[in-house]
């Protein structure tokens, strides 16, 4: 042991007023900007800010798609704010489908925990890359591209996904097109879908106009 | 004049071997990476590398959508490589439509040069923001979100757009879904569209399976 | 149509409290930071936040340079905040000149809409890249370098420019040197210009000292 | 259906030569740079480039720490290159420990799949944040900080982790200090550990000098 | 002189409300976020905000390590906020040591001003790179890796260092492990150090548990 | 000591093929891209790649400005490549001046080592921030703005500067305007300087046209 007992404890003073660099737990009540939420005061941060238990609870798949997505983005898991990544849980009951969607601001990586999942994405040149994934298989979905996950096994399936941003966004194709007041005429003109098809889907999904 | 004639010219030597910082004109034949193309040798760069005349030529709108997009991304305009922005020209004949699409890696700003254009985008919460734009109006489309442009005037329309990346990507919804060999069953399952609708659009757009 | 009518609308809950990722319309009254302005509350955002009509109005060129720049940066066009790009309009009457300037924080791309413009930039190794641009020609000016635009045609000229940042900054060389209280002695020492030349330009441009 | 059969397929031409933006599957044989590996030719990319099965295989925990880390960084999973994230699998047998370490270039998020794990990190101000995590619990470890994971349950434990970089790096404290030829005198001087302690650990870990 | 006296001064209006791009002097009382502190109002910024005199004062080396670090991070030097770099001063009396540490969020470059310093860092593959530096020698320490500096000359030594971030963070290994309430059992389990060694160092450095 | 002698050394295998994350020493012979130079093979990297001795040698100030800049950018100091910072040495003999210049791609921080230096920069709104700096004083110059350094003391002065980029670029105003073949007429038109003044400076600095 080479250190005498009279060691001077405070010879090095790190930036004491605020520890911007280490972490920035989101304070959802303060203003936020393009880089994320404002930071909670370091003095009120505890270990609980860095832990999130919501992903341990299966999502409710008693719905038409027999699937559920449970996000752990910065709004749900404030400790992620500013750290460049986030998580989500995918539950797919038998026959379940996470329909075609994009994350406008992030790439995604998926790991199958249980069951069999057929997952894929479509590239800008319209090539489709899809594969059947088994337990332990991982797949990556590049930023902003349309992608999907389907339970292609017999039982239920579970996967965890991570994103390259604390707030990846989530745009579900059918919801974007049909679950709002976007006029049927414009939807039809911009998607080549017949107005009758559009109106029917709007009816199903709760859209108007 | 305060400088004597015997000024020593070379008192300051900037980094002489390569001017990485100033610019990096793409050499399309060299390997490229996540940040863009490799740089052309500075000694062979000329003013022409920074000029692109392709946007001065109207796109051919003799097609079903009566519209055309002419890109000036880094692959077409190598001088943009690494500089964080790119351009494109939109031509819309009467009734023309740039159908629903996304740019996976960039935000977009549009300026109407001629005619009247109805443009809009759909946010992650399914809110649709759209407006009729006149000559000189600008609109911004945030990164990765579905958006569209429609000629809503009586004559032809022209717009120039810029992107926040030298290679913004372009994923056209109908092409992504129907202009490839993506099996009809999977398209249907992930979009809620009836297989017959999918097959019809695949037929129109040249898709198979 | 494969979706039954009892579809459960809310099976997927996106981050509901704040949509940081999609967009961040600037609230100019809130504190701002290195990444831009704080975001306006999503509930008060409308389509008008994403549209800017100021670029449709010709700038007033009745001045000594016979030219005008109309910016659409984040301070003028709050919808651009955080999206990585901005716009401006250049009006050049006959003989008009946008004098030597830099954008400290962005690259620029220009498209000629009307007239003939001689534009160029100077690289770090003092090489000058300039060219006469016609209608439809585009030119790119790498970040932070001195550049200029001159109306080299017979009538007036119009161009739109875009930047790789929502707040590119604008430092006009003559204004920086002569339109302030920067002491003549220091200007002279650091530019090699004779004090008499400096004082004359200060007089013209409204500078003192 | 609003599209006539004579639809012109090729009205929109995306950047055809290289799809830099969509993805950049690593070609490990080409030169690489600060942003990652060079990209494999798009024409030779298949769905298999985006899938990695190595995380499905339990790591060998028959070692002194009764634990194993299986990385899926860009070098192992080339499809991740340039996409801003990566993955790893942690296996901890009974009593297993992932010893104190840092990832110099990334934040980390962990999800417990099986068992009970005590995990924590140490902040710059020397505060320790640690907690016992159960199945489904997630924890985040901010970039560059010392952290650890311990199997604190009775059976084996399994966790998957994700990183905010395709190549997060991994610096294991004891290996950095003792498993190399770093002279004992320097280790001792810079860590306050007695030379005898250093030499003993070097002996155990295979270090010299 | 080519400018008439009636020059119109205000032909160009830069973004007048806030100069986000030029600089963002930290206002330590406002909320801060992942990108740094909020900006002080431009109207109250003076030249003094961009100048810091604290590095001119030798640090107090009358301590057990005979060394001192004086930081000029954004919290001490608010003018650095958002500008991507910061500074510090290292004083090493005879025999002085800056012990093993990391900067979680920045690379570092050091210049020896006086004396002789042995400096080094340890890479992820456990290779140690170290060298004896003389006056005028510079050395770079890549982001997040363990590194150290030792006065290896006969007199005192002085160095200035710069960082690639306004808030690089500073994690000193011994303080992180022993100067807190981190339970001895956990320290021992995660570092392979004998509990007695841990307790002794905790005693010296003021740690508990 | 808690580790048995039969410790298994290789239980953790970091990414073995290439250590992209730790560092990327520039190989100046390989292609380079927007993010910097390609990396030297890790196996041929030594401690010397991270050390640069060129800043220890005073620059030659026997020139008209009685000053010299010695850069340690990535082209001179390959170990800096990809690490986000670089260095330079400023020597100013009595009366020496580093004339008005910009760094297009980086902010700068200066520390006075010897002598008295008057330094300043000009903001986009034409405000000049300048101050006389003494030994130990530091000053920061925000990215891309015009700035200068003048020896305002009686003896020689020495300063070290750091930049927020491995290749900050350097555009010296007078060289950019007068030390090339940029036609006098264009210089005059874009700077408001009389053609005679331009020609005289071109003569002094070696420019033509």
């Amino acid at each position: 042991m080479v250190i005498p007992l009279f060691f001077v404890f405070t010879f090095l003073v790190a930036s004491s007023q605020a520890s911007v660099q280490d972490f920035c737990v989101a304070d959802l009540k303060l203003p936020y900007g393009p880089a994320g939420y404002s930071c909670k005061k370091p003095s009120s941060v505890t270990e609980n800010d860095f832990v999130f238990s919501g992903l341990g609870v299966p999502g409710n798949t008693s719905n038409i798609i027999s699937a559920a997505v449970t996000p752990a983005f910065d709004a749900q898991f404030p400790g992620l704010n500013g750290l460049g990544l986030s998580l989500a849980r995918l539950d797919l009951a038998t026959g379940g489908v996470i329909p075609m969607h994009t994350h406008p601001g992030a790439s995604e990586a998926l790991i199958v925990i249980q069951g069999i999942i057929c997952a894929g994405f479509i590239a800008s040149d319209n090539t489709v890359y899809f594969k059947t994934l088994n337990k332990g298989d991982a797949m990556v979905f590049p930023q902003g591209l349309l992608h999907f996950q389907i339970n292609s096994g017999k039982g239920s399936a579970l996967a965890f996904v991570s994103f390259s941003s604390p707030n990846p966004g989530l745009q579900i194709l059918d919801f974007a097109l049909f679950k709002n007041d976007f006029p049927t005429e414009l939807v039809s003109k911009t998607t080549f879908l017949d107005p009758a098809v559009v109106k029917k889907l709007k009816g199903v999904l709760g859209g108007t106009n």
Side-chain angles (χ1 to χ4, degrees), chain A:
Chain A
M1 195 50 45
V2 295
I3 306 178
L5 291 179
F6 52 86
F7 190 95
V8 177
F9 302 128
T10 56
F11 72 97
L12 280 172
V13 180
S15 58
S16 58
Q17 291 175 278
S19 185
V20 171
Q21 188 65 37
D22 271 11
F23 49 74
C24 174
V25 176
D27 184 330
L28 302 182
K29 294 174 189 161
L30 289 177
Y32 60 97
Y37 293 97
S38 289
C39 314
K40 203 173 164 176
K41 282 187 186 177
S43 60
S44 64
V45 169
T46 73
E47 67 273 20
N48 294 318
D49 287 303
F50 302 106
V51 176
F52 182 70
S53 293
L55 299 185
V57 183
N60 183 353
T61 59
S62 298
N63 53 47
I64 186 59
I65 59 163
S66 299
V69 175
T70 306
F73 298 171
D74 51 8
Q76 290 86 32
F77 187 0
L80 290 172
N81 187 46
L83 296 185
L85 81 179
S86 59
L87 302 168
R89 172 190 177 114
L90 307 188
D91 288 283
L92 298 109
T94 306
V97 176
I98 308 293
M100 200 64 79
H101 63 286
T102 61
H103 303 288
S107 292
E108 172 182 339
L110 173 151
I111 305 179
V112 179
I113 304 300
Q114 176 194 313
I116 300 172
I117 292 176
C118 172
F121 69 89
I122 312 173
S124 283
D125 68 354
N126 307 319
T127 304
V128 187
Y129 298 93
F130 68 100
K131 199 164 181 188
T132 297
L133 308 173
N134 295 296
K135 185 179 170 181
D137 284 349
M139 183 167 187
V140 65
F141 309 92
Q143 179 170 334
L145 298 177
L146 285 165
H147 61 289
F148 64 91
Q149 289 96 13
I150 298 174
N151 183 344
S152 54
K154 294 188 176 173
S156 61
L158 170 65
F160 286 111
V161 296
S162 51
F163 300 97
S164 61
S165 161
N167 190 338
L170 170 58
Q171 180 159 60
I172 302 163
L173 179 56
D174 277 78
F175 284 22
L177 296 178
F178 309 120
K179 196 184 166 184
N180 49 32
D181 60 359
F182 193 23
T184 295
E185 187 198 350
L186 292 182
V187 179
S188 180
K189 267 195 184 168
T190 58
T191 62
F192 307 152
L193 293 173
D194 190 273
V197 169
V198 174
K199 280 194 180 297
K200 195 168 178 184
L201 280 160
K202 274 180 169 284
V204 171
L205 290 166
T208 56
N209 285 6

